[in-house]
Amino acid sequence: MKTYAYKRELRLLTPADFQSVFDARPKKFSCRYYTILAAKSNFDKPRLGFTISKKKARFAVQRNKIKRVARDSFRLQQHELPNVDMVFIAKQGIALASNETLRHELEYTWKKIKRHMKS
């Protein structure tokens, strides 16, 4: 039975985790609101980390909303994604995007990642 929890093992937590993605010549998957850097992983599950600066989303409420929407979308797609480490980098204007728009963009991005990062 598949579980759709977003547990600790599905997150990039330490600076070393993030640095390994940046150093691995990651593939870039972009839209107008964010860029996702994806690099092959030695783990048996995909992992996701976030970098959302105060310049991109000024208030904590906005940053938390973005992370909540992205985490939920990732949680539902985790069993179909290849074993990659991903870093979500917010772009200017993401704070003004609606939840629906972010979900739609993320669904499209997950499809691109599945197609280009096959294990």
Side-chain angles (χ1 to χ4, degrees):
M1 186 172 114
K2 293 180 181 177
T3 61
Y4 290 94
Y6 183 68
K7 295 184 179 180
R8 189 172 178 87
E9 64 224 23
L10 296 175
R11 302 179 205 165
L12 296 178
L13 297 171
T14 65
D17 291 339
F18 283 86
Q19 195 61 45
S20 69
V21 174
F22 295 128
D23 292 342
R25 290 182 162 224
K27 284 196 175 190
K28 292 181 182 182
F29 300 92
S30 295
C31 79
R32 64 180 166 233
Y33 299 114
Y34 58 83
T35 297
I36 293 181
L37 303 177
K40 296 274 184 192
S41 172
N42 295 330
F43 292 90
D44 60 342
K45 296 179 181 179
R47 299 189 306 166
L48 180 66
F50 294 92
T51 59
I52 304 173
S53 70
K54 288 184 182 178
K55 286 185 178 180
K56 309 302 183 211
R58 185 172 173 202
F59 301 107
V61 171
Q62 295 169 333
R63 294 190 299 275
N64 292 338
K65 177 197 85 154
I66 295 162
K67 288 189 279 190
R68 187 171 48 251
V69 170
R71 277 194 306 255
D72 189 52
S73 177
F74 174 76
R75 180 183 65 81
L76 296 173
Q77 294 290 324
Q78 67 183 328
H79 298 293
E80 298 175 20
L81 291 170
N83 299 334
V84 293
D85 287 345
M86 296 172 278
V87 177
F88 180 100
I89 303 170
K91 289 184 179 178
Q92 200 67 42
I94 193 168
L96 303 175
S98 69
N99 291 358
E100 291 280 322
T101 305
L102 284 176
R103 279 190 204 102
H104 183 302
E105 294 285 346
L106 283 162
E107 285 177 26
Y108 181 70
T109 304
W110 301 139
K111 287 178 187 175
K112 285 198 309 191
I113 289 172
K114 285 183 244 180
R115 188 170 54 239
H116 293 289
M117 299 293 293
K118 291 180 183 172
S119 298

